[in-house]
Amino acid sequence: MTTAIIGTGGIGSAIASQLASGGETLLLSSADPASARTLAAQIGRAAVVALDNRDAVQGADAVVLALRFTVLKGVIDQIAGLLAGKVVVVPSNPVTLDAHGNLSRVLPEGQSSGKVVAGWLPSGARLAMAFGTMSADLFRSSAHRSPEPTVLFYATDDDRAGQEAERLIRMAGFEPVKAGGFEQSGRLEVGGDLHDLVVGPAQARSLIGAA
Ligand SMILES: NC(=O)c1ccc[n+]([C@@H]2O[C@H](COP(=O)([O-])OP(=O)(O)OC[C@H]3O[C@@H](n4cnc5c(N)ncnc54)[C@H](OP(=O)(O)O)[C@@H]3O)[C@@H](O)[C@H]2O)c1
């Protein structure tokens, strides 16, 4: 299977490296093509640099939008015509950093980022919020744990998107656990109770059930 990774910064490069190590073929795209080229060179044969965002989507079965929340809608608008039937995976947290390094939420308190992103997508696109539940460093260091795998939580209202998110999460070296539908996506974000947790499946399921 081929997955497009749009955005090859902190989390996009970590997701790409983990997926490639699991055997996924990747099409990479970023605002500055040099960034995608550097990552492709690090990954090797499994990664190809796309001509642009649309070219990446056209060649892929699923698309990971590893973008800051504030640029997400603009890129979705650019690729919208190509998304029918495709699974779109979004790791973005709805936060921004000011010049002093202070983090703030860009959506009103309590508003679900999953529902907002779902509203930006064209009909026929299938969304899962996944891969943004831990920092890039923790994500890299927690993959392929044994004997108990680390859980990556995801949220979706779409069963097929959930199946594809689970396949990608396993490919990246984690065990998938669904936190719930989009109304639960706040639990996965920076500041949410399921963010930056390194837990195994049993503890993850009890955390979901406890909520
Ligand atoms: N970094 C983490 O540890 C982490 C962990 C979990 C979740 N997240 C979430 O993931 C999202 C991305 O974070 P990040 O840290 O990876 O940000 P980042 O390092 O700034 O990377 C963002 C990437 O988006 C690319 N980009 C910007 N505009 C684009 C466009 N129009 N078309 C294609 N690519 C475009 C940039 O390209 P260029 O490099 O070419 O400029 C860059 O590669 C954020 O919402 C963040 O909250 C981050």
Side-chain angles (χ1 to χ4, degrees):
M1 301 282 277
T2 299
T3 294
I5 311 276
I6 298 184
T8 53
I11 198 65
S13 59
I15 296 167
S17 301
Q18 290 304 132
L19 288 178
S21 73
E24 189 77 354
T25 300
L26 303 173
L27 279 165
L28 307 180
S29 178
S30 65
D32 174 3
S35 158
R37 276 199 297 272
T38 302
L39 179 61
Q42 283 164 10
I43 290 175
R45 279 195 349 206
V48 170
V49 179
L51 296 175
D52 54 27
N53 294 341
R54 290 177 61 83
D55 182 48
V57 175
Q58 261 162 338
D61 303 293
V63 183
V64 178
L65 299 179
L67 301 163
R68 295 187 183 199
F69 205 84
T70 44
V71 305
L72 203 46
K73 183 172 186 310
V75 171
I76 288 173
D77 289 347
Q78 189 184 54
I79 60 177
L82 305 169
L83 291 178
K86 300 225 174 179
V87 171
V88 178
V89 177
V90 172
S92 309
N93 284 216
V95 293
T96 189
L97 270 182
D98 70 18
H100 306 290
N102 300 312
L103 202 67
S104 59
R105 203 167 189 267
V106 297
L107 296 176
E109 208 47 51
Q111 187 171 18
S112 152
S113 57
K115 284 191 176 170
V116 170
V117 177
W120 290 340
L121 288 169
S123 67
R126 324 194 69 139
L127 173 67
M129 300 297 285
F131 287 102
T133 55
M134 50 176 80
S135 72
D137 287 346
L138 192 60
F139 174 74
R140 286 181 194 269
S141 64
S142 306
H144 299 291
R145 289 238 171 135
S146 169
E148 189 178 60
T150 306
V151 161
L152 268 199
F153 295 102
Y154 70 94
T156 187
D157 288 346
D158 182 311
D159 288 345
R160 221 196 95 214
Q163 285 163 12
E164 179 64 359
E166 293 207 356
R167 185 186 74 79
L168 291 171
I169 286 169
R170 288 200 174 92
M171 190 72 93
F174 294 84
E175 181 66 19
V177 170
K178 182 174 174 176
F182 292 135
E183 78 285 353
Q184 300 296 327
S185 59
R187 297 186 70 190
L188 312 183
E189 297 167 8
V190 173
D193 67 310
L194 302 178
H195 190 80
D196 260 353
L197 287 187
V198 178
V199 294
Q203 195 183 347
R205 291 197 180 91
S206 85
L207 288 165
I208 297 298

